[in-house]
């Protein structure tokens, strides 16, 4: 039986953490009733129903189907199922949706979160089999609305499950087209920082950190990084996992740093393993303050590094 939500231990020193993860009502579509999901059609002929679905984890899925336009044209088709959930302002969340488009689907299936930036929306076209979409957002208020949307075309989408998970690291899988809350910092060298599409990444997007040359101080002085500050609980133990890949021609070294204050286990500097393909950097730290800073760092040479995800979790 799939869970509607996953538990999160509350830190009293960080009020932005809710005691539990947000609950998505009927998020696995086990109930034959849509409630608490609602539907809205701006244009087009839509039906919404929960039905048996082969390959769904619990054998049932939400079926969103558009059979045609309503005279306004196919490009105006727009219908969605939506639900409001309770969230904690300032907290980072991941929304994950397992879905499948049926043969003949010629529209766009989109995952939206509001309030949020339209640049964060994820849009996909037809494809075979069950697939997953993941979108990250930072809550702006006590409430957010999830939208499962078909636009600009006809056909059917099955949605198996939708979950919302709190994250310590904002934009941890680089879903957003903007880097925020990651920021770039250059001590020496010519650097660029950008989020790009990459089919080899787990969620299809990566952070690209590139150094094209030194700035007259020499290659050995090259030093640039993307960084993010996160809120932690002093004295708590945390694990981290970073998935990275260096591109051909990379001549520097990639390091992941954690800085959280003074103490034996409060700070970590981990170097990416050598070799081709995706590599994982993992370890732990014990927070020596209420804040930790994560650094994705290139030093001592030119080239490009792709970062797929940065996960930090409290050890329960």
């Amino acid at each position: 039986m799939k869970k509607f939500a996953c538990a999160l231990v509350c830190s009293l020193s960080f009020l932005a953490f809710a005691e539990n993860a947000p609950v998505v009502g009927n998020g696995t579509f086990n109930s034959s009733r849509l409630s608490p999901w609602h539907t809205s059609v701006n244009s087009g002929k839509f039906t919404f129903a929960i039905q048996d679905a082969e390959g769904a984890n619990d054998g049932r899925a939400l079926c969103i189907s558009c059979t045609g336009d309503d005279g306004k044209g196919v490009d105006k088709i727009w219908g969605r199922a939506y639900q409001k959930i309770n969230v904690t302002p300032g907290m980072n969340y991941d929304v994950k949706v397992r879905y499948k488009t049926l043969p003949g689907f010629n529209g766009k299936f989109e995952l939206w979160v509001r309030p949020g930036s339209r640049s964060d929306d994820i849009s996909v076209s037809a494809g075979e089999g069950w697939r997953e979409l993941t979108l990250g957002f930072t809550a702006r208020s006590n409430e957010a609305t999830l939208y499962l949307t078909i636009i600009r075309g006809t056909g059917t989408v099955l949605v198996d499950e939708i979950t919302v998970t709190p994250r310590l690291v904002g934009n941890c899988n680089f879903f957003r087209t903007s880097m925020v809350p990651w920021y770039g910092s250059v001590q020496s060298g010519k650097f660029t920082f950008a989020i790009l599409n990459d089919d080899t990444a787990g969620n299809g997007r990566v952070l690209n950190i590139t150094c094209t040359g030194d700035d007259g101080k020499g290659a050995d002085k090259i030093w640039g990084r993307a960084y993010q500050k996160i809120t932690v609980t002093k004295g708590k133990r945390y694990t981290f996992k970073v998935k990275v890949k260096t591109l051909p021609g990379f001549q520097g070294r990639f390091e992941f740093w954690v800085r959280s204050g003074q103490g034996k286990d409060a700070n970590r500097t981990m170097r990416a393993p050598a070799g081709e393909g995706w590599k994982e950097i993992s370890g732990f730290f014990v927070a020596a303050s209420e804040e930790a800073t994560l650094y994705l760092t290139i030093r001592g040479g030119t080239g490009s590094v792709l970062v797929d995800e940065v996960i930090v979790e409290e050890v329960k």
Side-chain angles (χ1 to χ4, degrees), residues 11-12 81 95 152 154 194 198 204 215 234 240 259 274 283 293 296 305:
S11 163
L12 294 178
V95 183
R152 293 193 289 273
T154 60
D198 188 315
D215 52 7
K234 185 177 181 178
F240 58 81
R259 299 291 183 264
T293 306
L296 306 169
V305 173

Side-chain angles (χ1 to χ4, degrees), residues 1 20 39 59 82 119 130 139 141 147 250 252 254 257 276 312-313:
M1 191 75 175
N20 294 291
T39 64
Y82 67 94
S119 65
W130 290 100
S141 67
Y147 293 93
F250 182 71
F254 176 81
W257 300 2
E276 298 180 357
V312 176
E313 295 178 331

Side-chain angles (χ1 to χ4, degrees), residues 60-254:
R60 295 175 69 77
L62 169 63
C63 175
I64 306 174
S65 185
C66 179
T67 57
D69 69 89
D70 53 7
K72 298 178 182 178
V74 173
D75 63 321
K76 300 294 185 182
I77 287 174
W78 180 8
R80 63 267 186 98
Y82 67 94
Q83 179 179 159
K84 295 181 183 295
I85 61 171
N86 294 322
V87 290
T88 303
M91 185 66 196
N92 303 303
Y93 297 93
D94 284 353
V95 183
K96 181 176 288 187
V97 176
R98 186 171 187 259
Y99 75 99
K100 179 170 70 171
T101 60
L102 297 190
F105 182 75
N106 59 22
K108 292 281 188 180
F109 175 61
E110 297 190 341
L111 170 61
W112 303 357
V113 177
R114 298 289 184 270
S117 170
R118 291 187 182 277
S119 65
D120 295 340
D121 298 342
I122 297 181
S123 177
V124 295
S125 301
E128 296 183 359
W130 290 100
R131 296 186 289 171
E132 287 186 350
L133 286 178
T134 307
L135 182 151
F137 74 99
T138 302
R140 300 181 184 177
S141 67
N142 293 318
E143 188 176 76
T145 306
L146 312 176
Y147 293 93
L148 304 171
T149 306
I150 290 178
I151 61 171
R152 293 193 289 273
T154 60
T156 299
V157 175
L158 301 180
V159 181
D160 176 21
E161 181 177 20
I162 179 167
T163 58
V164 180
T165 305
R167 294 291 191 192
L168 283 169
V169 182
N171 205 10
C172 62
N173 295 89
F174 307 104
F175 312 118
R176 302 173 187 168
T177 53
S178 70
M179 283 181 57
V180 177
W182 293 97
Y183 299 93
S185 171
V186 177
Q187 305 297 317
S188 181
K190 300 174 182 178
F191 278 83
T192 59
F193 305 86
I195 293 180
L196 306 175
N197 294 328
D198 188 315
D199 292 338
T200 69
N203 289 285
R205 283 184 179 170
V206 295
L207 172 62
N208 180 300
I209 306 174
T210 294
C211 178
T212 56
D214 69 85
D215 52 7
K217 298 178 182 178
D220 61 319
K221 301 294 185 182
I222 285 173
W223 181 8
R225 65 267 185 97
Y227 70 93
Q228 178 179 161
K229 295 182 183 295
I230 64 172
T231 302
V232 289
T233 302
K234 185 177 181 178
K236 293 286 188 179
R237 183 184 176 102
Y238 295 86
T239 59
F240 58 81
K241 180 178 67 174
V242 183
K243 189 177 176 184
V244 300
K245 179 170 66 173
T246 58
L247 297 188
F250 182 71
Q251 298 176 349
R253 60 185 184 273
F254 176 81

